[in-house]
Amino acid sequence: MPFKSTFAVLSSAWLALITFPAFAAEPVPWQLGFQAAASSSMQAIDSFHNLLLVISAAIVVLVIGLLLYVIWRFSEKRNPTPSQTTHNTVLEVAWTTVPIILLVIIAIPSFKLLFFSDRIETADLTLKAIGRQWYWTYEYPDHGNFTFDANMIQTKDLQGDQRRLMETDNRVVLPVGKNIRLLFTASDVLHSWAVPAFGVKLDAVPGRLNETWVRVEKEGVYYGFCSELCGVNHSFMPIAVEVVSQERFEAWVKEAQTKFARAGAPDASLALAQRAVAR
């Protein structure tokens, strides 16, 4: 193969290795960097990460440069008589002030990001996720309060292009471009609902209701996992979220209201007994 052709193939393979994971809504082999941001929260996290990367790289370069300079400048050959200086006011002020300035530069966007991702005042809909050993239960309180469980599909039951260890029998369905309030709790032990492309990772704690929000800007299927060590089947608690148009979401809600039992709905036998007593 000619050199140019070989170089082109290797370049294409390397670019694919770098860029393909960035456009995936799931973890992929040899992934570099974050998954592509699908929400405004993850975009803010990406920006903050890039800022920290620049600051960290600059500190590493500076420290290595100073070490190399000191090794060269104050070697025994170049400096046979060592200095007896014990204090340097300028240096002491500098190495105290500069870290403070860096911490302030980091703190300002950090606090902004914390407040931005904390919660939202007006949400278009609410999704409640309940962590259980070892599956997720979801409730839609704004759409009839129906509920369903999402269990991992076993490897032997996978169909088509379903992802091993990542696909669930019932996906969460959300509309694109809407502000969604996310509520998390657990019924047994600590769990954590994490979808990297959304920039969401929040603990589900028994007896406590944690809240955050997300606004997904692109339709597609997004995968995540429980990110809290919750027991023997911790690694088999995937999260599968399908983001669709508003029209498709409304059609799915109508189907889900009949397909899934509604949380809090009175039991049919109890209703019949109450009617009998009334008679």
Side-chain angles (χ1 to χ4, degrees):
M1 183 182 292
F3 173 76
K4 289 184 177 180
S5 300
T6 304
F7 180 77
V9 171
L10 293 175
S11 299
S12 300
W14 175 244
L15 288 174
L17 181 64
I18 296 177
T19 59
F20 175 73
F23 295 95
E26 60 190 271
V28 296
W30 297 97
Q31 178 173 332
L32 300 177
F34 294 136
Q35 294 180 23
S39 69
S40 51
S41 300
M42 189 60 198
Q43 290 171 359
I45 292 173
D46 273 343
S47 298
F48 184 54
H49 166 266
N50 294 337
L51 172 65
L52 291 181
L53 189 62
V54 171
I55 293 175
S56 301
I59 292 173
V60 169
V61 171
L62 176 62
V63 171
I64 292 177
L66 287 175
L67 284 174
L68 293 176
Y69 173 75
V70 169
I71 291 172
W72 171 79
R73 175 64 180 81
F74 298 102
S75 63
E76 184 178 2
K77 182 178 179 180
R78 297 184 59 84
N79 193 44
T81 305
S83 171
Q84 299 299 316
T85 302
T86 57
H87 293 284
N88 187 304
T89 303
V90 175
L91 282 178
E92 290 179 352
V93 170
W95 68 47
T96 303
T97 304
V98 172
I100 293 175
I101 294 174
L102 289 176
L103 289 175
V104 171
I105 293 173
I106 293 173
I108 292 174
S110 175
F111 287 132
K112 285 184 177 180
L113 180 57
L114 285 174
F115 281 106
F116 177 74
S117 60
D118 181 34
R119 63 187 61 193
I120 189 167
E121 296 297 330
T122 56
D124 297 305
L125 65 103
T126 299
L127 172 69
K128 182 179 179 181
I130 304 171
R132 305 187 190 276
Q133 291 180 308
W134 286 271
Y135 61 95
W136 294 97
T137 296
Y138 296 100
E139 296 179 3
Y140 285 73
D142 300 333
H143 295 82
N145 207 30
F146 60 86
T147 180
F148 61 86
D149 298 332
N151 292 276
M152 186 191 76
I153 298 179
Q154 300 299 319
T155 303
K156 61 184 177 59
D157 298 323
L158 292 174
Q159 298 178 0
D161 61 348
Q162 290 180 332
R163 274 61 169 173
R164 177 178 174 272
L165 303 181
M166 298 171 63
E167 195 62 68
T168 59
D169 53 359
N170 291 307
R171 288 176 175 174
V172 176
V173 179
L174 298 174
V176 68
K178 299 293 183 180
N179 294 332
I180 301 165
R181 179 181 289 112
L182 299 173
L183 303 177
F184 304 111
T185 188
S187 63
D188 35 53
V189 297
L190 289 175
H191 299 278
S192 182
W193 201 87
V195 179
F198 294 172
V200 174
K201 180 182 181 294
L202 196 62
D203 280 353
V205 183
R208 181 186 177 99
L209 198 64
N210 287 334
E211 178 181 342
T212 186
W213 73 285
V214 69
R215 180 187 178 94
V216 188
E217 304 295 348
K218 295 181 288 186
E219 295 185 32
V221 180
Y222 301 89
Y223 296 96
F225 296 91
C226 174
S227 296
E228 190 73 62
L229 189 57
C230 59
V232 64
N233 286 334
H234 157 70
S235 56
F236 304 104
M237 279 187 68
I239 300 164
V241 181
E242 187 171 356
V243 179
V244 299
S245 64
Q246 181 64 31
E247 294 75 17
R248 288 183 58 192
F249 175 73
E250 292 174 357
W252 176 82
V253 166
K254 291 180 180 179
E255 179 183 350
Q257 287 174 344
T258 58
K259 179 180 178 182
F260 302 117
R262 300 187 182 186
D267 183 79
S269 60
L270 177 60
L272 290 173
Q274 290 173 341
R275 290 178 186 175
V277 171
R279 289 177 183 176

